[in-house]
Amino acid sequence: MRSADCALLFLSVAIAAFAFCFVDAALLRAAALPDEAARSEMVTQLRLTDLALFTEARYTRHPSQADLHSAFQDHPLALEHFPTGSLIGPPRHLLKLGAGETAP
Amino acid sequence: MKLWLEKQRYLIDYTLASLARRKARNLGLLLVYTLLVFMLASVTLYTHALRQEAARVLASSPEVIVQRMVAGRHDLIPPGYMEKIGRIRGVQKMEGRLWGYYYDTVTRANYTFMVPAVSVPANNEIIVGPALERSRGLARNNGVTFRSYSGKLHSFVIAEVLPQASELVSADLVLMSEENFRAFFDYPVGHYTDIALSVANPQEVRNVALKLAAALPDARPILRDEVLRTYASIFDWREGIVLALLSAAILAFGILAWEKASGLSAEEKREIGILKAIGWETGDVIKMKFWEGLLVSLTAFLVGFVAAYVHVFHFAAALFEPVLKGWAVLYPRFQLSPHIDGVQVATLFFFTVVPYAAAVLVPIWKAAITDPDTVMRG
């Protein structure tokens, strides 16, 4: 087989795999629907407000419920030191307050 | 048409042979290029799927959460507070929530203790999240003892373990009865952690929040809309140590690709000179180099993207776990539902494939329009 044909065949397979990602995504989404509904139901029943993604500190466990000072809780000059603080920003409503707006 | 196709095949043959002459260098470049696309695509796919998941799941969270602030800190809701809120027009339903954090010295992990509104466990029984079950090796009907902040030991029986499918929202939860919760945390009677409100007319949520803030100046209403927006920006591109590190990698790759593409080596210049001397036209040289750029960049993009998809949606983004875990002991095991944003994929394609193809073509065009003799003499 000519090297050009090999390269074009490889590219065709790669393009097919790329397209299959979208098909696979649709199949996985359909399969995940019951679990998703169960998660939503649990959020309603338990009145949850946050994802349990970062459990290392209270303001990262429930970022939407954190207050302005929780990231600097240890002493007045303490810098925020949990690694998650580098990944997620403060809640949007606290950012608004920081810009001089008032709470709703 | 057939002639044109045959010509392209010969050009690709020549391009591949030319690439093979500098095998190590070109393979190294392809590997770095693919890895870069893989990392960028992994971050993009993961954060987009997580945002979508958060938006769908948290759409069921309470419409408004009312916290009470004392000296800038979240404080308990005292008795009488709910009655004042009940007088505000538009408030349909309100429930006091009881929840708090507990640091377990055995596993050195933080748990979220909570009293559910429905399916409340019997006294001295608890329902635990799947990550807690794993970290403490618990199972249904096992006993477990926690030392409360007052120093007293409290023993519970595991009545149930929450389903693994719910781990993204319930990994660290410990559900217990109100009586147990108040006894464990020495919570005063009639006090709550915060209040969950629902508003009769969804259009009026912001107005109700404004009325609430006016009636109770120490209250802080947190709207569901704000919670959703917080999660929509949870991995904002400006934040994130991963992306900061990646931007350095992108710059390094940019320099590498630019150096490779823009600065033609003496060998490459001689090659172009010889091709032109034996009768190749400028257009042929450019087409040959176009194929080179396209083969390298398209291969890197396709392989990198497919590998990223498999990594994120079939291996639960295992490479990101150490970064996302931070210092946390409990980390939820979850499989994100794949949501691919076409615009993001197109952006990734544009910013990875097009610049490389362009960077390859420009210097070749300059060399190809020069006299062969001059090019060969360097």
mmCIF file of all heavy atoms in Angstrom, chain B residues 295-325:
data_model
loop_
_atom_site.group_PDB
_atom_site.id
_atom_site.type_symbol
_atom_site.label_atom_id
_atom_site.label_comp_id
_atom_site.label_asym_id
_atom_site.label_seq_id
_atom_site.Cartn_x
_atom_site.Cartn_y
_atom_site.Cartn_z
ATOM 1 N N LEU B 295 -1.563 17.408 7.398
ATOM 2 C CA LEU B 295 -1.431 16.050 7.941
ATOM 3 C C LEU B 295 -1.025 16.096 9.412
ATOM 4 O O LEU B 295 -1.600 15.396 10.252
ATOM 5 C CB LEU B 295 -0.388 15.253 7.139
ATOM 6 C CG LEU B 295 -0.816 14.778 5.753
ATOM 7 C CD1 LEU B 295 0.352 14.130 5.026
ATOM 8 C CD2 LEU B 295 -1.973 13.782 5.863
ATOM 9 N N VAL B 296 -0.032 16.961 9.719
ATOM 10 C CA VAL B 296 0.454 17.032 11.106
ATOM 11 C C VAL B 296 -0.632 17.605 12.023
ATOM 12 O O VAL B 296 -0.970 17.015 13.057
ATOM 13 C CB VAL B 296 1.752 17.886 11.188
ATOM 14 C CG1 VAL B 296 2.136 18.152 12.638
ATOM 15 C CG2 VAL B 296 2.874 17.188 10.456
ATOM 16 N N SER B 297 -1.211 18.753 11.625
ATOM 17 C CA SER B 297 -2.136 19.419 12.540
ATOM 18 C C SER B 297 -3.462 18.662 12.664
ATOM 19 O O SER B 297 -4.022 18.558 13.753
ATOM 20 C CB SER B 297 -2.373 20.872 12.121
ATOM 21 O OG SER B 297 -2.797 20.921 10.798
ATOM 22 N N LEU B 298 -3.946 18.099 11.542
ATOM 23 C CA LEU B 298 -5.222 17.367 11.606
ATOM 24 C C LEU B 298 -5.067 16.079 12.422
ATOM 25 O O LEU B 298 -5.936 15.736 13.232
ATOM 26 C CB LEU B 298 -5.695 17.039 10.184
ATOM 27 C CG LEU B 298 -7.197 16.840 10.011
ATOM 28 C CD1 LEU B 298 -7.954 18.056 10.505
ATOM 29 C CD2 LEU B 298 -7.549 16.563 8.559
ATOM 30 N N THR B 299 -3.926 15.387 12.227
ATOM 31 C CA THR B 299 -3.675 14.172 13.021
ATOM 32 C C THR B 299 -3.641 14.532 14.505
ATOM 33 O O THR B 299 -4.273 13.863 15.332
ATOM 34 C CB THR B 299 -2.327 13.522 12.605
ATOM 35 O OG1 THR B 299 -2.392 13.261 11.214
ATOM 36 C CG2 THR B 299 -2.069 12.243 13.358
ATOM 37 N N ALA B 300 -2.896 15.586 14.835
ATOM 38 C CA ALA B 300 -2.776 15.981 16.248
ATOM 39 C C ALA B 300 -4.150 16.345 16.812
ATOM 40 O O ALA B 300 -4.501 15.934 17.926
ATOM 41 C CB ALA B 300 -1.831 17.163 16.380
ATOM 42 N N PHE B 301 -4.936 17.085 16.039
ATOM 43 C CA PHE B 301 -6.254 17.514 16.535
ATOM 44 C C PHE B 301 -7.176 16.310 16.745
ATOM 45 O O PHE B 301 -7.784 16.163 17.810
ATOM 46 C CB PHE B 301 -6.895 18.507 15.558
ATOM 47 C CG PHE B 301 -8.295 18.875 15.947
ATOM 48 C CD1 PHE B 301 -8.531 19.815 16.946
ATOM 49 C CD2 PHE B 301 -9.393 18.258 15.353
ATOM 50 C CE1 PHE B 301 -9.814 20.128 17.335
ATOM 51 C CE2 PHE B 301 -10.684 18.562 15.740
ATOM 52 C CZ PHE B 301 -10.899 19.506 16.731
ATOM 53 N N LEU B 302 -7.257 15.446 15.724
ATOM 54 C CA LEU B 302 -8.215 14.322 15.809
ATOM 55 C C LEU B 302 -7.816 13.336 16.907
ATOM 56 O O LEU B 302 -8.646 12.961 17.744
ATOM 57 C CB LEU B 302 -8.314 13.611 14.463
ATOM 58 C CG LEU B 302 -8.960 14.431 13.334
ATOM 59 C CD1 LEU B 302 -8.791 13.737 12.006
ATOM 60 C CD2 LEU B 302 -10.441 14.670 13.620
ATOM 61 N N VAL B 303 -6.524 12.958 16.923
ATOM 62 C CA VAL B 303 -6.076 11.988 17.939
ATOM 63 C C VAL B 303 -6.207 12.614 19.341
ATOM 64 O O VAL B 303 -6.693 11.975 20.272
ATOM 65 C CB VAL B 303 -4.627 11.528 17.655
ATOM 66 C CG1 VAL B 303 -4.109 10.638 18.773
ATOM 67 C CG2 VAL B 303 -4.573 10.784 16.326
ATOM 68 N N GLY B 304 -5.788 13.871 19.464
ATOM 69 C CA GLY B 304 -5.871 14.555 20.767
ATOM 70 C C GLY B 304 -7.300 14.665 21.255
ATOM 71 O O GLY B 304 -7.600 14.402 22.422
ATOM 72 N N PHE B 305 -8.217 15.018 20.367
ATOM 73 C CA PHE B 305 -9.616 15.196 20.775
ATOM 74 C C PHE B 305 -10.250 13.869 21.181
ATOM 75 O O PHE B 305 -10.908 13.775 22.216
ATOM 76 C CB PHE B 305 -10.434 15.848 19.653
ATOM 77 C CG PHE B 305 -11.856 16.111 20.059
ATOM 78 C CD1 PHE B 305 -12.199 17.297 20.696
ATOM 79 C CD2 PHE B 305 -12.852 15.167 19.848
ATOM 80 C CE1 PHE B 305 -13.502 17.530 21.111
ATOM 81 C CE2 PHE B 305 -14.160 15.392 20.260
ATOM 82 C CZ PHE B 305 -14.477 16.581 20.886
ATOM 83 N N VAL B 306 -10.031 12.828 20.338
ATOM 84 C CA VAL B 306 -10.646 11.519 20.648
ATOM 85 C C VAL B 306 -10.084 10.987 21.979
ATOM 86 O O VAL B 306 -10.833 10.484 22.829
ATOM 87 C CB VAL B 306 -10.420 10.513 19.486
ATOM 88 C CG1 VAL B 306 -10.899 9.122 19.871
ATOM 89 C CG2 VAL B 306 -11.154 10.989 18.231
ATOM 90 N N ALA B 307 -8.759 11.139 22.171
ATOM 91 C CA ALA B 307 -8.154 10.678 23.435
ATOM 92 C C ALA B 307 -8.753 11.458 24.611
ATOM 93 O O ALA B 307 -9.035 10.885 25.671
ATOM 94 C CB ALA B 307 -6.645 10.860 23.384
ATOM 95 N N ALA B 308 -8.960 12.757 24.429
ATOM 96 C CA ALA B 308 -9.537 13.587 25.513
ATOM 97 C C ALA B 308 -10.964 13.133 25.820
ATOM 98 O O ALA B 308 -11.364 13.051 26.990
ATOM 99 C CB ALA B 308 -9.524 15.051 25.093
ATOM 100 N N TYR B 309 -11.727 12.827 24.786
ATOM 101 C CA TYR B 309 -13.115 12.379 24.983
ATOM 102 C C TYR B 309 -13.141 11.091 25.807
ATOM 103 O O TYR B 309 -13.894 10.967 26.768
ATOM 104 C CB TYR B 309 -13.794 12.159 23.621
ATOM 105 C CG TYR B 309 -15.200 11.630 23.752
ATOM 106 C CD1 TYR B 309 -16.269 12.497 23.958
ATOM 107 C CD2 TYR B 309 -15.454 10.265 23.735
ATOM 108 C CE1 TYR B 309 -17.555 12.010 24.125
ATOM 109 C CE2 TYR B 309 -16.738 9.769 23.898
ATOM 110 C CZ TYR B 309 -17.777 10.644 24.091
ATOM 111 O OH TYR B 309 -19.057 10.159 24.277
ATOM 112 N N VAL B 310 -12.267 10.142 25.400
ATOM 113 C CA VAL B 310 -12.209 8.852 26.114
ATOM 114 C C VAL B 310 -11.761 9.097 27.562
ATOM 115 O O VAL B 310 -12.318 8.537 28.514
ATOM 116 C CB VAL B 310 -11.256 7.874 25.380
ATOM 117 C CG1 VAL B 310 -11.048 6.601 26.186
ATOM 118 C CG2 VAL B 310 -11.825 7.531 24.009
ATOM 119 N N HIS B 311 -10.777 9.964 27.747
ATOM 120 C CA HIS B 311 -10.265 10.273 29.091
ATOM 121 C C HIS B 311 -11.354 10.851 29.988
ATOM 122 O O HIS B 311 -11.547 10.410 31.114
ATOM 123 C CB HIS B 311 -9.086 11.255 28.946
ATOM 124 C CG HIS B 311 -8.679 11.927 30.215
ATOM 125 N ND1 HIS B 311 -8.557 13.281 30.329
ATOM 126 C CD2 HIS B 311 -8.392 11.430 31.440
ATOM 127 C CE1 HIS B 311 -8.195 13.587 31.562
ATOM 128 N NE2 HIS B 311 -8.089 12.493 32.258
ATOM 129 N N VAL B 312 -12.093 11.812 29.472
ATOM 130 C CA VAL B 312 -13.078 12.515 30.311
ATOM 131 C C VAL B 312 -14.331 11.669 30.544
ATOM 132 O O VAL B 312 -14.804 11.560 31.676
ATOM 133 C CB VAL B 312 -13.454 13.880 29.677
ATOM 134 C CG1 VAL B 312 -14.609 14.535 30.426
ATOM 135 C CG2 VAL B 312 -12.251 14.802 29.698
ATOM 136 N N PHE B 313 -14.841 11.041 29.467
ATOM 137 C CA PHE B 313 -16.160 10.400 29.610
ATOM 138 C C PHE B 313 -16.120 8.880 29.783
ATOM 139 O O PHE B 313 -17.140 8.282 30.094
ATOM 140 C CB PHE B 313 -17.052 10.778 28.427
ATOM 141 C CG PHE B 313 -17.307 12.259 28.367
ATOM 142 C CD1 PHE B 313 -16.919 13.004 27.264
ATOM 143 C CD2 PHE B 313 -17.906 12.911 29.432
ATOM 144 C CE1 PHE B 313 -17.138 14.377 27.218
ATOM 145 C CE2 PHE B 313 -18.124 14.283 29.397
ATOM 146 C CZ PHE B 313 -17.742 15.010 28.289
ATOM 147 N N HIS B 314 -14.955 8.274 29.577
ATOM 148 C CA HIS B 314 -14.873 6.824 29.826
ATOM 149 C C HIS B 314 -13.907 6.486 30.954
ATOM 150 O O HIS B 314 -13.941 5.395 31.492
ATOM 151 C CB HIS B 314 -14.494 6.081 28.546
ATOM 152 C CG HIS B 314 -15.603 6.067 27.534
ATOM 153 N ND1 HIS B 314 -16.617 5.142 27.568
ATOM 154 C CD2 HIS B 314 -15.886 6.908 26.494
ATOM 155 C CE1 HIS B 314 -17.466 5.389 26.580
ATOM 156 N NE2 HIS B 314 -17.047 6.462 25.916
ATOM 157 N N PHE B 315 -13.013 7.416 31.293
ATOM 158 C CA PHE B 315 -12.098 7.181 32.422
ATOM 159 C C PHE B 315 -12.292 8.234 33.515
ATOM 160 O O PHE B 315 -11.390 8.457 34.324
ATOM 161 C CB PHE B 315 -10.643 7.139 31.936
ATOM 162 C CG PHE B 315 -10.326 5.898 31.144
ATOM 163 C CD1 PHE B 315 -10.384 5.902 29.769
ATOM 164 C CD2 PHE B 315 -10.002 4.708 31.793
ATOM 165 C CE1 PHE B 315 -10.117 4.750 29.032
ATOM 166 C CE2 PHE B 315 -9.737 3.554 31.070
ATOM 167 C CZ PHE B 315 -9.796 3.574 29.688
ATOM 168 N N ALA B 316 -13.447 8.884 33.535
ATOM 169 C CA ALA B 316 -13.821 9.848 34.583
ATOM 170 C C ALA B 316 -12.748 10.911 34.832
ATOM 171 O O ALA B 316 -12.502 11.296 35.979
ATOM 172 C CB ALA B 316 -14.148 9.092 35.872
ATOM 173 N N ALA B 317 -12.096 11.372 33.788
ATOM 174 C CA ALA B 317 -11.079 12.431 33.865
ATOM 175 C C ALA B 317 -10.053 12.134 34.955
ATOM 176 O O ALA B 317 -9.716 12.989 35.774
ATOM 177 C CB ALA B 317 -11.737 13.783 34.073
ATOM 178 N N ALA B 318 -9.543 10.883 34.938
ATOM 179 C CA ALA B 318 -8.657 10.420 36.015
ATOM 180 C C ALA B 318 -7.417 11.309 36.176
ATOM 181 O O ALA B 318 -6.926 11.478 37.289
ATOM 182 C CB ALA B 318 -8.243 8.984 35.733
ATOM 183 N N LEU B 319 -6.924 11.888 35.087
ATOM 184 C CA LEU B 319 -5.709 12.704 35.201
ATOM 185 C C LEU B 319 -5.958 14.001 35.971
ATOM 186 O O LEU B 319 -5.035 14.586 36.510
ATOM 187 C CB LEU B 319 -5.159 13.038 33.803
ATOM 188 C CG LEU B 319 -4.579 11.869 33.008
ATOM 189 C CD1 LEU B 319 -4.140 12.334 31.636
ATOM 190 C CD2 LEU B 319 -3.402 11.247 33.749
ATOM 191 N N PHE B 320 -7.202 14.449 36.012
ATOM 192 C CA PHE B 320 -7.505 15.703 36.724
ATOM 193 C C PHE B 320 -7.751 15.476 38.218
ATOM 194 O O PHE B 320 -7.801 16.438 38.977
ATOM 195 C CB PHE B 320 -8.756 16.378 36.146
ATOM 196 C CG PHE B 320 -8.570 16.892 34.757
ATOM 197 C CD1 PHE B 320 -9.665 17.099 33.932
ATOM 198 C CD2 PHE B 320 -7.309 17.192 34.270
ATOM 199 C CE1 PHE B 320 -9.506 17.578 32.637
ATOM 200 C CE2 PHE B 320 -7.137 17.667 32.985
ATOM 201 C CZ PHE B 320 -8.230 17.861 32.175
ATOM 202 N N GLU B 321 -7.931 14.213 38.588
ATOM 203 C CA GLU B 321 -8.336 13.940 39.970
ATOM 204 C C GLU B 321 -7.398 14.578 41.007
ATOM 205 O O GLU B 321 -7.873 15.226 41.930
ATOM 206 C CB GLU B 321 -8.483 12.435 40.197
ATOM 207 C CG GLU B 321 -9.158 12.139 41.524
ATOM 208 C CD GLU B 321 -9.364 10.658 41.785
ATOM 209 O OE1 GLU B 321 -9.773 9.956 40.853
ATOM 210 O OE2 GLU B 321 -9.107 10.233 42.921
ATOM 211 N N PRO B 322 -6.046 14.420 40.861
ATOM 212 C CA PRO B 322 -5.179 15.017 41.885
ATOM 213 C C PRO B 322 -5.354 16.530 41.989
ATOM 214 O O PRO B 322 -5.258 17.100 43.070
ATOM 215 C CB PRO B 322 -3.768 14.671 41.414
ATOM 216 C CG PRO B 322 -3.927 13.591 40.423
ATOM 217 C CD PRO B 322 -5.278 13.739 39.829
ATOM 218 N N VAL B 323 -5.615 17.174 40.843
ATOM 219 C CA VAL B 323 -5.780 18.637 40.859
ATOM 220 C C VAL B 323 -7.098 19.006 41.524
ATOM 221 O O VAL B 323 -7.163 19.884 42.379
ATOM 222 C CB VAL B 323 -5.742 19.205 39.418
ATOM 223 C CG1 VAL B 323 -5.880 20.711 39.427
ATOM 224 C CG2 VAL B 323 -4.472 18.791 38.724
ATOM 225 N N LEU B 324 -8.173 18.311 41.133
ATOM 226 C CA LEU B 324 -9.496 18.646 41.663
ATOM 227 C C LEU B 324 -9.635 18.242 43.125
ATOM 228 O O LEU B 324 -10.352 18.872 43.887
ATOM 229 C CB LEU B 324 -10.580 17.950 40.837
ATOM 230 C CG LEU B 324 -10.676 18.405 39.398
ATOM 231 C CD1 LEU B 324 -11.632 17.526 38.631
ATOM 232 C CD2 LEU B 324 -11.124 19.851 39.318
ATOM 233 N N LYS B 325 -8.927 17.208 43.518
ATOM 234 C CA LYS B 325 -9.051 16.691 44.871
ATOM 235 C C LYS B 325 -8.467 17.669 45.895
ATOM 236 O O LYS B 325 -8.994 17.799 47.003
ATOM 237 C CB LYS B 325 -8.326 15.344 44.945
ATOM 238 C CG LYS B 325 -8.837 14.445 46.018
ATOM 239 C CD LYS B 325 -8.243 13.067 45.826
ATOM 240 C CE LYS B 325 -8.613 12.164 46.984
ATOM 241 N NZ LYS B 325 -8.075 10.832 46.801
#
